[in-house]
Amino acid sequence: MKHIVLLLLLGVTAGLLADDSASFGQCTAALREQASAAGISVATLDRAFADLEPAATILHKDRRQLEFVSSFWDYLDKTVTRRRVNYGRELKQRHAKLLNRVHDHFGVRSEHMLALWGMETNYGKVLGDHPVLQSLATLACDHRRPALFRKEFISALSIIDRGLMKPVRLKGSWAGAMGQIQFLPSVYLEHAQDFDGDGARDIYDSLPDALASAANYLRAIGWQPGERWGREVILPRNFDWSKAQPELQRTVKQWSGEGIVTAFGEPLPAVEFPAKLLLPAGQFGPAFLTYRNFEVTMQWNRSTSYALAVGILADRIAGSAGLVTPKPRGLRRLKRKQVIEIQELLNALGYDSGAADGIIGTRTRNAVRAFQLARNLPADGHPDLSLLGNLRKQNHVAH
């Protein structure tokens, strides 16, 4: 009966915002019950809940994540910088022995490890100073993803309860990610490694532990040793846009049969290797064939812009000159109110783009693609000012 009441309470509080103090109190009471049922000691619970308060800034950051409010080009400009590339190359030489050990043990290339490290904390320079328990409790009591963050909150309590880290040490990103490679608490518990042999799994101050932990996690979620993440490609002029669907997987050989070549105009290898076509900036931006290791990076962070940036940064650290496709001149990015209008117009015309929230997610791109296909437009699934004009005209005709 106790567990039924607990589940009901959690279900009620799941829809409440953490910045409502009464609701937050109800939610944390339920969290304490759940943590106690998971075996967390009374002493740990008393310390953790003594001064626990919500943080409104956490909710603001959650709604404004860079990956979801920036265009592909803007995101790339902010993350794959010349300074980050050059420093990554320097660190590759400085830590060559360690990186080779990690590669030999886990099968992850040094450039990819460096790219993840650079993307997550700018090579350990920005670990975050948000108290992890406060961040996770705030998000656990928010309506967006309560189940995920309840699990992470209890995992953080388990880290403390088992003496793996002191409470004061648990500081990190606004979303509760910790250390050099920004592990969530549950990932730390399952995948963190003691690679320097000192008896502790220290992802804050031990670079061997941090990089080995990241590589161990990548391997656990499907990393394929010896395979690349993907490559930039060029589409033929007569490309069949109905095939420009990010969910469509074909072999590299099949994509080659569609006339797709490498970014340098060379034939793709004729291999039976699974690949997906990705157009992050639409028909006028770069095109990529992405492979299995790209999907693994997407499990690390569910953002195509993030996963592409990691792959591109890794290639740059390895010595590549960058993308062949140039950034269009005079590029005008959509404002949020314009994205909202696009979503509203798509919904009004019967194309389900989800909530009109100004965030371009999978449902919005699928709705854009369906609208484009129905009107014989290049179906790249990319919303832009031209699409907005077409939608306005179509909506006017419909009314």
PDB file of all heavy atoms in Angstrom, residues 311-330:
ATOM      1  N   GLY A 311      31.824  14.768 -34.076  1.00  0.00           N
ATOM      2  CA  GLY A 311      32.492  14.109 -35.187  1.00  0.00           C
ATOM      3  C   GLY A 311      33.371  15.043 -35.984  1.00  0.00           C
ATOM      4  O   GLY A 311      34.517  14.704 -36.341  1.00  0.00           O
ATOM      5  N   ILE A 312      32.868  16.237 -36.267  1.00  0.00           N
ATOM      6  CA  ILE A 312      33.637  17.218 -37.043  1.00  0.00           C
ATOM      7  C   ILE A 312      34.864  17.681 -36.253  1.00  0.00           C
ATOM      8  O   ILE A 312      35.964  17.812 -36.799  1.00  0.00           O
ATOM      9  CB  ILE A 312      32.745  18.406 -37.430  1.00  0.00           C
ATOM     10  CG1 ILE A 312      31.658  17.948 -38.419  1.00  0.00           C
ATOM     11  CG2 ILE A 312      33.568  19.550 -38.034  1.00  0.00           C
ATOM     12  CD1 ILE A 312      30.538  18.953 -38.611  1.00  0.00           C
ATOM     13  N   LEU A 313      34.677  17.923 -34.936  1.00  0.00           N
ATOM     14  CA  LEU A 313      35.812  18.321 -34.097  1.00  0.00           C
ATOM     15  C   LEU A 313      36.856  17.208 -34.051  1.00  0.00           C
ATOM     16  O   LEU A 313      38.064  17.480 -34.130  1.00  0.00           O
ATOM     17  CB  LEU A 313      35.326  18.657 -32.686  1.00  0.00           C
ATOM     18  CG  LEU A 313      36.399  19.060 -31.666  1.00  0.00           C
ATOM     19  CD1 LEU A 313      37.204  20.262 -32.152  1.00  0.00           C
ATOM     20  CD2 LEU A 313      35.765  19.352 -30.302  1.00  0.00           C
ATOM     21  N   ALA A 314      36.411  15.955 -33.946  1.00  0.00           N
ATOM     22  CA  ALA A 314      37.357  14.832 -33.936  1.00  0.00           C
ATOM     23  C   ALA A 314      38.165  14.798 -35.233  1.00  0.00           C
ATOM     24  O   ALA A 314      39.391  14.612 -35.216  1.00  0.00           O
ATOM     25  CB  ALA A 314      36.605  13.514 -33.738  1.00  0.00           C
ATOM     26  N   ASP A 315      37.484  14.988 -36.356  1.00  0.00           N
ATOM     27  CA  ASP A 315      38.197  14.998 -37.645  1.00  0.00           C
ATOM     28  C   ASP A 315      39.183  16.153 -37.732  1.00  0.00           C
ATOM     29  O   ASP A 315      40.286  16.006 -38.273  1.00  0.00           O
ATOM     30  CB  ASP A 315      37.188  15.080 -38.795  1.00  0.00           C
ATOM     31  CG  ASP A 315      36.411  13.785 -38.995  1.00  0.00           C
ATOM     32  OD1 ASP A 315      36.791  12.767 -38.395  1.00  0.00           O
ATOM     33  OD2 ASP A 315      35.409  13.808 -39.738  1.00  0.00           O
ATOM     34  N   ARG A 316      38.772  17.323 -37.207  1.00  0.00           N
ATOM     35  CA  ARG A 316      39.665  18.484 -37.240  1.00  0.00           C
ATOM     36  C   ARG A 316      40.900  18.236 -36.373  1.00  0.00           C
ATOM     37  O   ARG A 316      42.027  18.576 -36.757  1.00  0.00           O
ATOM     38  CB  ARG A 316      38.938  19.738 -36.748  1.00  0.00           C
ATOM     39  CG  ARG A 316      37.789  20.217 -37.642  1.00  0.00           C
ATOM     40  CD  ARG A 316      38.306  20.786 -38.962  1.00  0.00           C
ATOM     41  NE  ARG A 316      39.325  21.791 -38.781  1.00  0.00           N
ATOM     42  CZ  ARG A 316      39.094  23.072 -38.463  1.00  0.00           C
ATOM     43  NH1 ARG A 316      37.842  23.500 -38.300  1.00  0.00           N
ATOM     44  NH2 ARG A 316      40.081  23.931 -38.338  1.00  0.00           N
ATOM     45  N   ILE A 317      40.715  17.648 -35.195  1.00  0.00           N
ATOM     46  CA  ILE A 317      41.848  17.328 -34.329  1.00  0.00           C
ATOM     47  C   ILE A 317      42.785  16.344 -35.016  1.00  0.00           C
ATOM     48  O   ILE A 317      44.017  16.418 -34.885  1.00  0.00           O
ATOM     49  CB  ILE A 317      41.354  16.774 -32.978  1.00  0.00           C
ATOM     50  CG1 ILE A 317      40.643  17.880 -32.184  1.00  0.00           C
ATOM     51  CG2 ILE A 317      42.515  16.202 -32.155  1.00  0.00           C
ATOM     52  CD1 ILE A 317      39.941  17.394 -30.929  1.00  0.00           C
ATOM     53  N   ALA A 318      42.194  15.430 -35.803  1.00  0.00           N
ATOM     54  CA  ALA A 318      42.993  14.432 -36.524  1.00  0.00           C
ATOM     55  C   ALA A 318      43.748  15.030 -37.704  1.00  0.00           C
ATOM     56  O   ALA A 318      44.621  14.383 -38.278  1.00  0.00           O
ATOM     57  CB  ALA A 318      42.096  13.302 -37.011  1.00  0.00           C
ATOM     58  N   GLY A 319      43.408  16.284 -38.070  1.00  0.00           N
ATOM     59  CA  GLY A 319      44.161  16.942 -39.127  1.00  0.00           C
ATOM     60  C   GLY A 319      43.370  17.412 -40.325  1.00  0.00           C
ATOM     61  O   GLY A 319      43.935  18.039 -41.224  1.00  0.00           O
ATOM     62  N   SER A 320      42.054  17.147 -40.373  1.00  0.00           N
ATOM     63  CA  SER A 320      41.276  17.594 -41.526  1.00  0.00           C
ATOM     64  C   SER A 320      41.104  19.109 -41.504  1.00  0.00           C
ATOM     65  O   SER A 320      41.208  19.748 -40.453  1.00  0.00           O
ATOM     66  CB  SER A 320      39.903  16.919 -41.550  1.00  0.00           C
ATOM     67  OG  SER A 320      39.014  17.535 -40.640  1.00  0.00           O
ATOM     68  N   ALA A 321      40.829  19.660 -42.672  1.00  0.00           N
ATOM     69  CA  ALA A 321      40.706  21.117 -42.803  1.00  0.00           C
ATOM     70  C   ALA A 321      39.316  21.628 -42.473  1.00  0.00           C
ATOM     71  O   ALA A 321      39.088  22.831 -42.427  1.00  0.00           O
ATOM     72  CB  ALA A 321      41.075  21.531 -44.222  1.00  0.00           C
ATOM     73  N   GLY A 322      38.361  20.748 -42.252  1.00  0.00           N
ATOM     74  CA  GLY A 322      37.004  21.181 -41.956  1.00  0.00           C
ATOM     75  C   GLY A 322      36.057  20.837 -43.085  1.00  0.00           C
ATOM     76  O   GLY A 322      36.394  20.120 -44.024  1.00  0.00           O
ATOM     77  N   LEU A 323      34.834  21.385 -43.006  1.00  0.00           N
ATOM     78  CA  LEU A 323      33.817  21.082 -44.001  1.00  0.00           C
ATOM     79  C   LEU A 323      34.179  21.676 -45.360  1.00  0.00           C
ATOM     80  O   LEU A 323      34.743  22.768 -45.449  1.00  0.00           O
ATOM     81  CB  LEU A 323      32.458  21.624 -43.558  1.00  0.00           C
ATOM     82  CG  LEU A 323      31.876  21.040 -42.268  1.00  0.00           C
ATOM     83  CD1 LEU A 323      30.504  21.652 -41.992  1.00  0.00           C
ATOM     84  CD2 LEU A 323      31.788  19.528 -42.331  1.00  0.00           C
ATOM     85  N   VAL A 324      33.834  20.944 -46.402  1.00  0.00           N
ATOM     86  CA  VAL A 324      34.038  21.431 -47.761  1.00  0.00           C
ATOM     87  C   VAL A 324      32.922  22.390 -48.148  1.00  0.00           C
ATOM     88  O   VAL A 324      33.155  23.410 -48.798  1.00  0.00           O
ATOM     89  CB  VAL A 324      34.101  20.248 -48.757  1.00  0.00           C
ATOM     90  CG1 VAL A 324      34.151  20.750 -50.195  1.00  0.00           C
ATOM     91  CG2 VAL A 324      35.317  19.378 -48.451  1.00  0.00           C
ATOM     92  N   THR A 325      31.702  22.090 -47.743  1.00  0.00           N
ATOM     93  CA  THR A 325      30.555  22.953 -48.044  1.00  0.00           C
ATOM     94  C   THR A 325      30.669  24.252 -47.258  1.00  0.00           C
ATOM     95  O   THR A 325      30.736  24.233 -46.022  1.00  0.00           O
ATOM     96  CB  THR A 325      29.241  22.253 -47.682  1.00  0.00           C
ATOM     97  OG1 THR A 325      29.154  21.018 -48.382  1.00  0.00           O
ATOM     98  CG2 THR A 325      28.041  23.132 -48.044  1.00  0.00           C
ATOM     99  N   PRO A 326      30.693  25.392 -47.924  1.00  0.00           N
ATOM    100  CA  PRO A 326      30.837  26.658 -47.205  1.00  0.00           C
ATOM    101  C   PRO A 326      29.526  27.118 -46.574  1.00  0.00           C
ATOM    102  O   PRO A 326      28.441  26.733 -47.021  1.00  0.00           O
ATOM    103  CB  PRO A 326      31.280  27.630 -48.304  1.00  0.00           C
ATOM    104  CG  PRO A 326      30.623  27.091 -49.541  1.00  0.00           C
ATOM    105  CD  PRO A 326      30.638  25.585 -49.390  1.00  0.00           C
ATOM    106  N   LYS A 327      29.646  27.937 -45.558  1.00  0.00           N
ATOM    107  CA  LYS A 327      28.470  28.551 -44.955  1.00  0.00           C
ATOM    108  C   LYS A 327      27.902  29.578 -45.937  1.00  0.00           C
ATOM    109  O   LYS A 327      28.637  30.421 -46.447  1.00  0.00           O
ATOM    110  CB  LYS A 327      28.856  29.242 -43.644  1.00  0.00           C
ATOM    111  CG  LYS A 327      27.694  29.864 -42.901  1.00  0.00           C
ATOM    112  CD  LYS A 327      28.177  30.449 -41.574  1.00  0.00           C
ATOM    113  CE  LYS A 327      27.034  31.054 -40.777  1.00  0.00           C
ATOM    114  NZ  LYS A 327      27.499  31.607 -39.481  1.00  0.00           N
ATOM    115  N   PRO A 328      26.590  29.499 -46.247  1.00  0.00           N
ATOM    116  CA  PRO A 328      26.007  30.433 -47.220  1.00  0.00           C
ATOM    117  C   PRO A 328      26.170  31.891 -46.787  1.00  0.00           C
ATOM    118  O   PRO A 328      26.065  32.209 -45.600  1.00  0.00           O
ATOM    119  CB  PRO A 328      24.527  30.035 -47.254  1.00  0.00           C
ATOM    120  CG  PRO A 328      24.499  28.642 -46.734  1.00  0.00           C
ATOM    121  CD  PRO A 328      25.609  28.547 -45.733  1.00  0.00           C
ATOM    122  N   ARG A 329      26.430  32.759 -47.749  1.00  0.00           N
ATOM    123  CA  ARG A 329      26.523  34.189 -47.442  1.00  0.00           C
ATOM    124  C   ARG A 329      25.130  34.771 -47.224  1.00  0.00           C
ATOM    125  O   ARG A 329      24.158  34.347 -47.846  1.00  0.00           O
ATOM    126  CB  ARG A 329      27.198  34.929 -48.590  1.00  0.00           C
ATOM    127  CG  ARG A 329      28.675  34.580 -48.758  1.00  0.00           C
ATOM    128  CD  ARG A 329      29.306  35.428 -49.854  1.00  0.00           C
ATOM    129  NE  ARG A 329      30.729  35.151 -49.997  1.00  0.00           N
ATOM    130  CZ  ARG A 329      31.512  35.769 -50.874  1.00  0.00           C
ATOM    131  NH1 ARG A 329      30.990  36.690 -51.688  1.00  0.00           N
ATOM    132  NH2 ARG A 329      32.792  35.456 -50.942  1.00  0.00           N
ATOM    133  N   GLY A 330      25.064  35.748 -46.354  1.00  0.00           N
ATOM    134  CA  GLY A 330      23.793  36.422 -46.107  1.00  0.00           C
ATOM    135  C   GLY A 330      22.755  35.521 -45.481  1.00  0.00           C
ATOM    136  O   GLY A 330      21.548  35.747 -45.652  1.00  0.00           O
TER     137      GLY A 330
END
